[in-house]
Amino acid sequence: MLLRPLLQALACTAVAAAGLPFMAIPLRAAPSLQALQDALNSTAPDSLNAVLEPGEGLDPQQVERQRQLLRQQFPDATWSVKAGAPLRDGRATTDLTVTGSRQQGPFAFRFVAQQQLVLGAAGNRFNRQEVIRETSLLRTGDDDLKVTLQIPDAVLTGQRYDLDVVFDDPLEGAVVAGSIRPVTAGEQLRLLTPDLPLEALGGGGLFKSVQAPYQPGTQTWAVLLVHPKGIVAGSKQVRVVADKAGLNL
């Protein structure tokens, strides 16, 4: 998406991985969101320099490297940037969506990833960001399998919480397999995906209970589901907060 690795398409077991820095201040004087969208979609190698500068949680050089790696995987990757709904504390947000596709052998991959961001700026360049919500999905097959990632946006430090990933439609006897694993910071930085060994699924999905870290930060989960009609890979970021006020921004 905007400033983080997204998805890597693998031949038969497509997986999604992600990682994004956080912490930002409310958006004030800044370049337009249209300028940011144009820069992200530009093929010029230095286009982002006009709208981004280094700051807390934001490294424009890393952003450019990740953007190029994403385009290597999905040459038609397209970014959309628009104003989002304000948070409860009044901060303005930005909704960012990226879509792309590629053909690899017999597999046609399609993905969509979405972020809700709070952007900060100095002068006419964005220089800080905070990720409020983030989800991405990568699919194969002609039909878009309906899948719901029932993973919370935020949890308290040390809290146990559920990771449920379910097929929305009845399986009708179909044999399915899947896996879910955390994505490490190193994997996020290098655009790598965790090892996701497949297991036969019962009950129409994946159901797992985990414990949040005892320090605030983020966790990112990578999911892989294999169905006779296609493959679904996804990722979801969970914010780990120390205060209940941070659960519902």
Side-chain angles (χ1 to χ4, degrees):
M1 292 213 62
L2 174 52
L3 310 174
R4 67 177 289 157
L6 282 184
L7 303 170
Q8 281 185 295
L10 304 180
C12 298
T13 54
V15 235
L20 207 161
F22 61 97
M23 294 304 294
I25 59 174
L27 177 64
R28 302 198 185 281
S32 69
L33 297 183
Q34 182 64 51
L36 176 57
Q37 176 176 289
D38 292 345
L40 286 166
N41 287 304
S42 173
T43 57
D46 59 350
S47 61
L48 291 175
N49 292 336
V51 293
L52 301 178
E53 67 179 7
E56 187 172 4
L58 177 53
D59 179 350
Q61 292 184 348
Q62 182 178 338
V63 173
E64 180 57 33
R65 288 193 297 268
Q66 293 168 350
R67 183 176 66 149
Q68 294 303 323
L69 286 171
L70 177 62
R71 281 192 166 140
Q72 290 175 15
Q73 296 294 327
F74 303 99
D76 65 349
T78 302
W79 283 261
S80 171
V81 183
K82 64 180 182 179
L87 301 181
R88 291 185 179 184
D89 60 10
R91 287 183 294 168
T93 70
T94 297
D95 290 338
L96 192 147
T97 302
V98 60
T99 59
S101 62
R102 70 174 291 177
Q103 186 74 34
Q104 186 167 331
F107 297 99
F109 295 97
R110 308 178 309 282
F111 82 69
V112 58
Q114 299 172 317
Q115 288 179 323
Q116 182 185 33
L117 305 169
V118 173
L119 297 176
N124 62 353
R125 295 181 183 180
F126 296 105
N127 69 349
R128 300 186 185 185
Q129 66 173 350
E130 179 181 0
V131 181
I132 306 302
R133 295 176 181 86
E134 177 183 88
T135 304
S136 59
L137 286 174
L138 176 67
R139 301 174 183 274
T140 69
D142 296 330
D143 297 327
D144 280 345
L145 291 170
K146 296 180 180 179
V147 173
T148 299
L149 303 183
Q150 295 178 353
I151 300 173
D153 294 322
V155 296
L156 292 172
T157 53
Q159 176 185 340
R160 292 203 67 83
Y161 64 98
D162 294 331
L163 306 173
D164 297 337
V165 184
V166 298
F167 291 100
D168 294 346
D169 295 332
L171 294 180
E172 298 180 346
V175 177
V176 296
S179 183
I180 185 168
R181 292 288 188 276
V183 182
T184 68
E187 288 166 337
Q188 294 169 8
L189 183 63
R190 298 189 302 274
L191 300 183
L192 298 177
T193 58
D195 183 21
L196 292 167
L198 293 174
E199 300 176 359
L201 303 181
L206 282 164
F207 306 94
K208 186 180 181 68
S209 179
V210 299
Q211 185 168 24
Y214 287 96
Q215 296 296 324
T218 61
Q219 286 186 303
T220 299
W221 295 94
V223 179
L224 177 63
L225 296 173
V226 178
H227 187 283
K229 293 183 178 180
I231 295 169
V232 177
S235 68
K236 175 69 183 285
Q237 178 183 281
V238 179
R239 290 182 291 110
V240 181
V241 300
D243 192 304
K244 287 185 177 181
L247 293 177
N248 298 298
L249 296 180

